[in-house]
């Protein structure tokens, strides 16, 4: 099993979710986060005063999948989240040792 962690732009969430649903992904965890990469933030003007926004709003998706589906999930997220602009995000894939569905006690792939 693999855990796919994707950091994307907030306005791309619905598009990514819809694309993953068509690929058979049945669930994910979504968290609103802040961060920066090469963007390094930006400046904004509020009530006439300029200030720096060092951390930008992002969405973190966590998707647990069978190992044989991980590459397709990554490809789907890339295609749905890509704008071609700096700050599109990153995807990390890690090994997932165990999963347990609390309600039924199912484990590993059955729990996904």
């Amino acid at each position: 099993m693999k855990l796919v962690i994707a950091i994307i732009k907030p306005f791309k969430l619905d598009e990514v979710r819809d694309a993953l649903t068509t690929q058979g992904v049945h669930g994910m965890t979504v968290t609103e986060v802040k961060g920066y990469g090469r963007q390094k933030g930006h400046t904004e003007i509020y009530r006439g005063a300029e200030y720096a926004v060092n951390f930008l709003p992002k969405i973190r998706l966590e998707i647990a999948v069978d190992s044989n589906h991980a590459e397709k999930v990554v490809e789907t997220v890339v295609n749905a989240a890509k704008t071609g602009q700096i700050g599109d995000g990153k995807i990390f894939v890690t090994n997932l040792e165990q999963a347990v569905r609390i309600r039924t006690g199912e484990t590993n792939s059955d729990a996904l």
Side-chain angles (χ1 to χ4, degrees), residues 9-90:
K9 290 182 174 183
F11 68 90
K12 285 293 200 172
L13 176 59
D14 287 336
E15 198 172 326
V16 170
R17 181 183 47 87
D18 292 344
L20 287 170
T21 300
T22 63
Q23 293 299 320
V25 173
H26 302 293
M28 67 183 77
T29 300
V30 178
T31 311
E32 293 180 6
V33 296
K34 291 185 180 197
Y36 71 93
R38 292 185 181 159
Q39 284 176 286
K40 305 228 184 340
H42 63 277
T43 58
E44 289 186 5
I45 297 177
Y46 178 73
R47 295 189 176 185
E50 186 174 308
Y51 66 97
V53 177
N54 294 321
F55 294 98
L56 301 172
K58 300 288 183 179
I59 296 292
R60 176 183 168 131
L61 304 174
E62 295 177 72
I63 309 152
V65 295
D66 285 328
S67 295
N68 55 351
H69 293 111
E71 279 303 314
K72 187 64 177 169
V73 167
V74 168
E75 180 183 320
T76 301
V77 172
V78 168
N79 291 335
K82 186 176 187 175
T83 67
Q85 302 295 319
I86 193 166
D88 274 351
K90 295 250 182 353

